[in-house]
């Protein structure tokens, strides 16, 4: 059995389970990873168990009236509830759960005022939701002009956050990937419900 706590971060990333926008995962051993732009990833871990989970959401909430049930986890309110409930079902104790949270970079909406920034809205939502649930944040890295690579080691709750500048990753490529994913959801929902979804 691999002891992920002794491996360098590059090897942890290679062996990790990667999640995309609108996804979450819980593990007891295998690391979890994701790549963020304006999205946020919240890592929840039980300080008394080798159990942790991570999610990845794009917006604080879905627009009211949206019927895209399968894509509701793109919204922070649903994605946070799903992750917390799954942790509790796997044996985590609410009073031992702690959080580490990352993201909200100004990758897509760099020209907007900070009050309208999707990244800032995501970061503010994360703080508010965790405060409301009495889950302390033990580490965080929000906002700024960076994309981020996040790694979570469930065995001990360690999280690694690597800020990625345009010299290391093609920001336009990340922007296109997030936009393409959002458009694919729009097309899927339109064909299923014949309704439009307002995306950012």
């Amino acid at each position: 059995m691999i002891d992920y706590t002794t491996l360098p971060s590059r090897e942890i990333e290679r062996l990790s389970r990667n999640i995309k926008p609108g996804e979450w995962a819980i593990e007891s051993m295998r690391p979890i990873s994701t790549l963020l732009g304006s999205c946020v990833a919240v890592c929840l871990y039980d300080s008394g168990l080798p159990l942790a989970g991570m999610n990845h959401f794009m917006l604080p909430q879905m627009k009211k009236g949206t019927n895209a049930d399968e894509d509701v986890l793109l919204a922070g309110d649903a994605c946070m509830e799903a992750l917390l409930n799954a942790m509790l079902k796997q044996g985590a104790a609410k009073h031992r759960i702690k959080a580490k949270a990352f993201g909200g970079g100004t990758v897509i909406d760099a020209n907007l005022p900070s009050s309208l920034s999707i990244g800032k809205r995501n970061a503010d939502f994360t703080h508010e939701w965790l405060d409301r649930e009495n889950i302390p944040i033990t580490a965080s890295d929000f906002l700024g002009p960076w994309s981020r690579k996040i790694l979570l080691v469930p065995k001990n709750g360690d999280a690694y956050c690597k800020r990625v500048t345009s010299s290391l990753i093609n920001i336009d490529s990340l922007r296109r990937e997030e936009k393409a994913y959002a458009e694919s959801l729009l097309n899927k929902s339109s064909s299923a419900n014949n309704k439009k979804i307002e995306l950012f």
Side-chain angles (χ1 to χ4, degrees):
M1 188 175 291
I2 301 171
D3 183 0
Y4 295 101
T5 62
T6 63
L7 297 177
S9 60
R10 187 181 298 265
E11 187 67 4
I12 293 171
E13 182 180 2
R14 187 182 71 80
L15 297 169
S16 68
R17 172 182 177 180
N18 186 261
I19 61 170
K20 294 180 178 147
E23 294 181 349
W24 58 269
I26 293 176
E27 295 281 350
S28 58
M29 293 298 295
R30 187 178 177 190
I32 307 167
S33 65
T34 199
L35 176 63
L36 303 169
S38 60
C39 297
V40 162
V42 176
C43 306
L44 297 181
Y45 65 100
D46 186 318
S47 58
L49 294 175
L51 182 69
M54 180 195 292
N55 63 18
H56 181 154
F57 59 86
M58 294 180 77
L59 295 166
Q61 298 163 328
M62 288 294 269
K63 185 176 188 257
K64 291 199 186 296
T66 298
N67 290 324
D69 291 338
E70 68 218 54
D71 303 317
V72 75
L73 292 179
L74 286 170
D77 51 0
C79 206
M80 289 303 305
E81 290 291 339
L83 179 61
L84 177 59
N85 289 336
M87 288 279 294
L88 296 174
K89 282 181 184 176
Q90 297 252 355
K94 179 85 179 283
H95 68 277
R96 292 194 310 248
I97 292 179
K98 295 180 172 49
K100 297 180 180 180
F102 310 92
T106 53
V107 174
I108 294 176
D109 49 5
N111 295 323
L112 290 176
S114 63
S115 61
L116 299 177
S117 161
I118 294 164
K120 183 168 188 323
R121 287 169 49 210
N122 282 335
D124 290 346
F125 163 81
T126 302
H127 282 290
E128 290 163 8
W129 193 94
L130 292 169
D131 284 346
R132 188 170 64 246
E133 293 294 328
N134 294 314
I135 297 174
I137 298 180
T138 61
S140 65
D141 188 49
F142 286 119
L143 309 179
W146 306 284
S147 301
R148 291 168 171 88
K149 287 183 181 179
I150 310 300
L151 302 174
L152 172 64
V153 180
K155 185 174 180 181
N156 58 7
D158 280 355
Y160 301 82
C161 173
K162 181 178 181 181
R163 291 177 175 178
V164 185
T165 62
S166 57
S167 62
L168 298 177
I169 188 170
N170 186 332
I171 295 299
D172 288 335
S173 174
L174 179 62
R175 184 181 294 117
R176 281 194 304 272
E177 185 179 319
E178 287 189 352
K179 184 177 178 186
Y181 189 78
E183 286 174 353
S184 75
L185 298 177
L186 176 63
N187 293 337
K188 189 190 304 178
S189 178
S190 293
S191 61
N193 303 313
N194 210 15
K195 293 182 180 178
K196 290 186 177 179
I197 299 174
E198 182 179 330
L199 299 172
F200 55 90

